[in-house]
Amino acid sequence: MIYYFKGHVLETKTTRDTELMACPLCGPQRRPDHQHLKTLKVNKKSKYAYCYHCTEGGHLTTPGEELEKSEKRESKGVASHFRRPVFDTNKTKLSDELVKYFVEKRCIPQKVLIDLKVTEVERYLPDVKKKVKCIGFNYFVDGELVNTKYRDLEKHFAMEAGAEQVPYNIDSAKEPNYVYVVEGEPDAMSVIAAGFPSVISVPNGANTNLSWLDPFVESHFENKEIIYIAVDNDRKGMILCDELVRRFGRSVCRIVKFGEGCKDANDHLVKYGAESLRIYLKLPQMLPLEGVFSVCDVIDNYRLIYEKGVTTGLSTGFANLDNYLRFVLGKLCVVTGEPTAGKSEFVDMLVTNMYMNHDWRTAYFSPENMPIEEAYCKISEKMIGKKLEQGITTEEEYEESVRFLDENIFTIIPKEDFTIESILNKATDLIRRNGIKALVIDPYNCVEHRLGKFERETSYINQFLDKLTKYAEKHRILIILVAHPTKQDDDSKSKSKQLKMYDIYGSSHFYNKADFGLAVSRDENNDLTTIHILKVKTKNLGKKGKVQFIFNTVNGRYTPYETETMDHLGKFRSSLFDNSNWFKKKEGMIDATAKVQAIAFEEDEEREVPF
């Protein structure tokens, strides 16, 4: 049988469902005596191949499928993933009124407007349902126009439909060894006016979804010696600043503060002038020394507690569980449970919920849940709401699952070894490149543990957990560690005993070091899954207790158990299961968020556009 795999032809030799063969991707690059080693596993049933040496994987297509794709291209043409506008040089001729506004009101030199190719256009805006005069802020990548933001007098705005979300002025950041990051086009112009041309503006205001950054991490930011964070001096700006520092790393980031009474770079330029702004931009604040703090180092967050109270954390996606537990970044959650109780399934459910509610991306180190494609299948079924199988799942739903997994779920399989150091090194790369916010290590015993010659296991576990807690806090990531309990006796008394975190094999430190502790149990008689909340270190994030769920065997989702969900025979009413497509639900949530962002557009209300 012939298959196509990443541009290469594979010819299988047997009739078995799976077959090993030499990898066409890494084989030719290996030394001669290793080039023909069979490291590529081909699964004909799932049409997926994975190489255990280079860790490359992908879907297989048959010659017939390739021919069908080719015919579709010829008949319809290949549609671009993004729609790009066409740049009209005639629109760069700005009216005197607009130039006067920028020069006199915003203190932006005319040359900056010309260099950034600011345009003046008449544009239909959905919010006002008519054509109005607008400023056009044009977004270029490698000199090609990819998006435009249009603004009118009443601060309504619109972007090109279906266009890419990219940073404003991103081309300026490619070569220099520094870059300033600001929160609006006028602020980027102000930094340029002060003499620093390498500056970008975030494309969608102050929020923590930095997916726009992913394509540019290696090409535009790997070479940076210093990244200056110069976002707005308000609550949303602080949250954005924290996320940028988390993504770029503390060692290269510097924080810019503006003069008294100034929220952003353009405020400072207007109030104090270009030379003063230049001085402030050249003298950013160093981030605090790690391990040494005063209240002034955390004064903004301290003020937030005073104004808003201590954080109560983020929803887990389950109303019943939220009463006892809410997650925050920078913590360690230990999950234990009986064999076959569904520890991994429930962790997958939490990961899915955190994506749905908070856009969290997650990395897994989970050698027990192999092959990788089957682990991905379990997560995608929770999103699709049905079994991932041709005839049950549509082609569109399948493609949605591929995009979701590719952008949000990552698997760590270090080439060198499975030590915790190698796992965390890969996690650091994923934080920087993809912005993951959760790391699942499932289970503890699959990590390669290297004890010293005379080192006791309890001492080693203590140091191991210290590494996890310090890493989670430093990188502001939630680590979920699945750990098996000690083997229980087969007698009924042992089986009825409620698991505690002290029952985890190896050491009581699993309880002592964890911020959150969960135990999963399942009653096979009534098919109820119970989540025991055994530890919540800080009272503002929850308390001890237990909640119950019904497991949906159709799609792997968990539904909170309530007495009214049971029928007269004590069976769960299957009609209450949620089998809907959550990709559609997520699209609705994104649309609603976009409308809120449109209303709360970042520019000051006092500033007026001159038409």
Side-chain angles (χ1 to χ4, degrees):
M1 184 70 182
I2 300 292
Y3 293 99
Y4 290 92
F5 171 65
K6 291 184 177 291
H8 296 271
V9 177
L10 303 180
E11 185 174 359
T12 59
K13 305 292 186 183
T14 71
T15 58
R16 294 193 299 269
D17 287 343
T18 60
E19 187 172 331
L20 286 172
M21 60 179 61
C23 178
L25 301 175
C26 66
Q29 279 75 49
R30 302 181 72 180
R31 69 189 197 211
D33 57 329
H34 282 188
Q35 287 182 359
H36 300 293
L37 291 179
K38 296 180 179 181
T39 59
L40 184 74
K41 182 180 179 181
V42 177
N43 190 319
K44 304 169 196 174
K45 193 173 182 180
S46 63
K47 289 188 178 179
Y48 193 86
Y50 176 78
C51 177
Y52 293 101
H53 180 258
C54 66
T55 71
E56 285 287 339
H59 295 279
L60 305 172
T61 56
T62 63
E65 289 168 337
E66 285 294 314
L67 179 62
E68 185 179 350
K69 286 182 182 178
S70 176
E71 290 173 348
K72 284 182 178 179
R73 289 192 196 100
E74 291 174 3
S75 61
K76 297 182 180 179
V78 181
S80 299
H81 183 59
F82 294 109
R83 177 179 175 273
R84 294 191 168 185
V86 178
F87 186 67
D88 187 348
T89 55
N90 293 323
K91 294 175 182 176
T92 57
K93 297 176 182 178
L94 306 180
S95 66
D96 292 342
E97 191 177 11
L98 181 59
V99 173
K100 184 178 179 180
Y101 163 76
F102 272 111
V103 173
E104 295 185 2
K105 297 288 187 182
R106 291 293 188 104
C107 299
I108 305 294
Q110 190 171 357
K111 184 179 184 302
V112 175
L113 303 177
I114 296 170
D115 291 345
L116 292 175
K117 296 183 174 64
V118 174
T119 52
E120 184 177 356
V121 296
E122 197 170 78
R123 172 79 179 186
Y124 177 84
L125 296 182
D127 288 344
V128 295
K129 296 185 171 81
K130 63 179 180 180
K131 280 190 174 183
V132 292
K133 283 187 177 181
C134 297
I135 301 171
F137 296 109
N138 296 297
Y139 289 61
F140 295 89
V141 175
D142 294 328
E144 182 180 355
L145 182 66
V146 299
N147 208 338
T148 301
K149 180 188 284 184
Y150 304 97
R151 287 295 318 280
D152 75 345
L153 171 64
E154 301 299 328
K155 299 179 175 58
H156 302 111
F157 77 95
M159 305 284 281
E160 286 287 344
E164 295 168 81
Q165 287 272 305
V166 300
Y168 184 64
N169 199 36
I170 185 62
D171 285 354
S172 72
K174 195 163 190 178
E175 299 300 332
N177 61 0
Y178 77 93
V179 66
Y180 286 84
V181 182
V182 299
E183 203 182 314
E185 296 87 357
D187 294 327
M189 294 176 177
S190 301
V191 173
I192 296 171
F196 300 99
S198 181
V199 55
I200 66 167
S201 171
V202 298
N204 50 5
N207 67 68
T208 57
N209 184 356
L210 303 187
S211 57
W212 51 264
L213 183 62
D214 299 348
F216 303 103
V217 170
E218 292 186 52
S219 57
H220 289 68
F221 296 100
E222 289 285 0
N223 67 330
K224 296 297 177 279
E225 295 177 8
I226 301 180
I227 297 175
Y228 299 94
I229 312 298
V231 295
D232 288 6
N233 184 27
D234 57 17
R235 183 173 180 274
K236 288 186 176 181
M238 289 162 50
I239 295 171
L240 172 61
C241 177
D242 287 346
E243 181 63 9
L244 288 168
V245 170
R246 195 182 77 87
R247 287 293 302 269
F248 291 130
R250 297 174 65 88
S251 61
V252 297
C253 289
R254 303 290 184 272
I255 309 301
V256 174
K257 298 291 185 182
F258 301 107
E260 186 177 351
C262 299
K263 187 187 78 169
D264 54 37
N266 192 244
D267 269 353
H268 192 114
L269 179 64
V270 171
K271 193 168 185 178
Y272 298 110
E275 187 56 37
S276 174
L277 178 59
R278 180 177 177 81
I279 292 170
Y280 272 75
L281 292 172
K282 286 176 67 177
L283 298 173
Q285 295 182 5
M286 296 282 289
L287 288 164
L289 290 171
E290 290 190 51
V292 180
F293 299 93
S294 73
V295 71
C296 292
D297 294 325
V298 293
I299 193 64
D300 292 333
N301 290 330
Y302 184 71
R303 178 73 187 182
L304 277 179
I305 293 175
Y306 169 70
E307 293 177 352
K308 308 286 186 181
V310 178
T311 179
T312 55
L314 299 172
S315 170
T316 62
F318 292 121
N320 59 344
L321 185 57
D322 285 347
N323 293 326
Y324 299 94
L325 169 70
R326 295 171 74 90
F327 285 134
V328 292
L329 296 173
K331 303 294 183 182
L332 171 64
C333 177
V334 175
V335 179
T336 190
E338 306 156 357
T340 71
K343 298 183 291 294
S344 298
E345 282 283 2
F346 191 74
V347 168
D348 287 348
M349 191 72 246
L350 288 175
V351 165
T352 305
N353 283 355
M354 295 310 283
Y355 163 75
M356 283 295 296
N357 291 281
H358 312 292
D359 292 318
W360 279 23
R361 294 173 172 179
T362 299
Y364 281 82
F365 170 77
S366 188
E368 277 194 352
N369 293 309
M370 297 292 276
I372 294 174
E373 61 270 20
E374 292 182 8
Y376 283 152
C377 180
K378 289 195 302 177
I379 298 174
S380 65
E381 286 178 347
K382 288 175 169 59
M383 287 296 297
I384 298 170
K386 62 179 80 168
K387 187 174 179 62
L388 186 74
E389 184 177 307
Q390 200 168 33
I392 298 175
T393 306
T394 67
E395 192 68 26
E396 180 186 0
E397 289 168 335
Y398 167 77
E399 293 296 338
E400 284 177 328
S401 73
V402 171
R403 285 194 295 271
F404 158 70
L405 293 168
D406 185 53
E407 294 173 2
N408 298 286
I409 306 296
F410 306 92
T411 299
I412 293 175
I413 306 178
K415 286 185 179 180
E416 51 277 12
D417 53 53
F418 283 5
T419 62
I420 192 60
E421 289 79 14
S422 295
I423 295 166
L424 295 181
N425 284 341
K426 294 299 180 186
T428 302
D429 291 339
L430 286 169
I431 290 171
R432 182 170 172 79
R433 295 188 181 187
N434 303 96
I436 63 165
K437 291 190 175 179
L439 169 65
V440 176
I441 300 175
D442 180 10
Y444 165 81
N445 61 291
C446 279
V447 178
E448 184 180 333
H449 302 293
R450 297 178 178 177
L451 279 71
K453 188 173 182 180
F454 300 105
E455 188 175 13
R456 297 178 62 182
E457 186 176 21
T458 54
S459 175
Y460 169 82
I461 292 173
N462 181 43
Q463 293 179 38
F464 175 89
L465 295 170
D466 275 341
K467 286 180 184 177
L468 294 188
T469 56
K470 290 174 182 177
Y471 183 90
E473 185 176 357
K474 178 180 178 180
H475 294 277
R476 297 188 67 248
I477 188 172
L478 176 70
I479 296 180
I480 300 176
L481 174 66
V482 178
H484 297 315
T486 54
K487 186 176 180 180
Q488 292 183 291
D489 296 330
D490 291 333
D491 60 87
S492 58
K493 186 176 180 181
S494 296
K495 288 182 178 180
S496 62
K497 176 186 172 185
Q498 180 186 319
L499 275 177
K500 298 178 181 179
M501 291 183 69
Y502 287 117
D503 294 322
I504 297 175
Y505 179 79
S507 174
S508 62
H509 290 303
F510 285 102
Y511 178 83
N512 299 334
K513 297 290 184 179
D515 296 292
F516 306 106
L518 306 179
V520 182
S521 64
R522 184 166 64 188
D523 188 333
E524 295 180 359
N525 295 323
N526 57 21
D527 215 21
L528 275 178
T529 297
T530 303
I531 306 300
H532 304 270
I533 299 90
L534 303 178
K535 182 181 181 182
V536 180
K537 184 175 281 188
T538 54
K539 62 183 180 181
N540 57 297
L541 297 177
K543 59 186 178 182
K544 289 184 178 181
K546 66 178 182 180
V547 291
Q548 293 183 306
F549 296 90
I550 301 289
F551 181 67
N552 185 346
T553 56
V554 173
N555 53 33
R557 292 177 185 168
Y558 286 82
T559 300
Y561 165 76
E562 306 288 350
T563 54
E564 56 267 26
T565 62
M566 312 303 284
D567 62 20
H568 66 286
L569 297 175
K571 298 294 185 181
F572 184 78
R573 301 178 193 275
S574 60
S575 61
L576 297 177
F577 277 133
D578 179 6
N579 296 326
S580 64
N581 184 334
W582 282 5
F583 289 119
K584 303 300 181 187
K585 180 180 177 182
K586 185 67 173 175
E587 286 176 11
M589 294 165 67
I590 292 171
D591 290 342
T593 302
K595 289 180 181 178
V596 171
Q597 290 176 350
I599 294 170
F601 189 67
E602 49 85 23
E603 290 191 13
D604 287 350
E605 289 302 318
E606 304 99 43
R607 295 176 173 171
E608 295 185 2
V609 181
F611 43 72

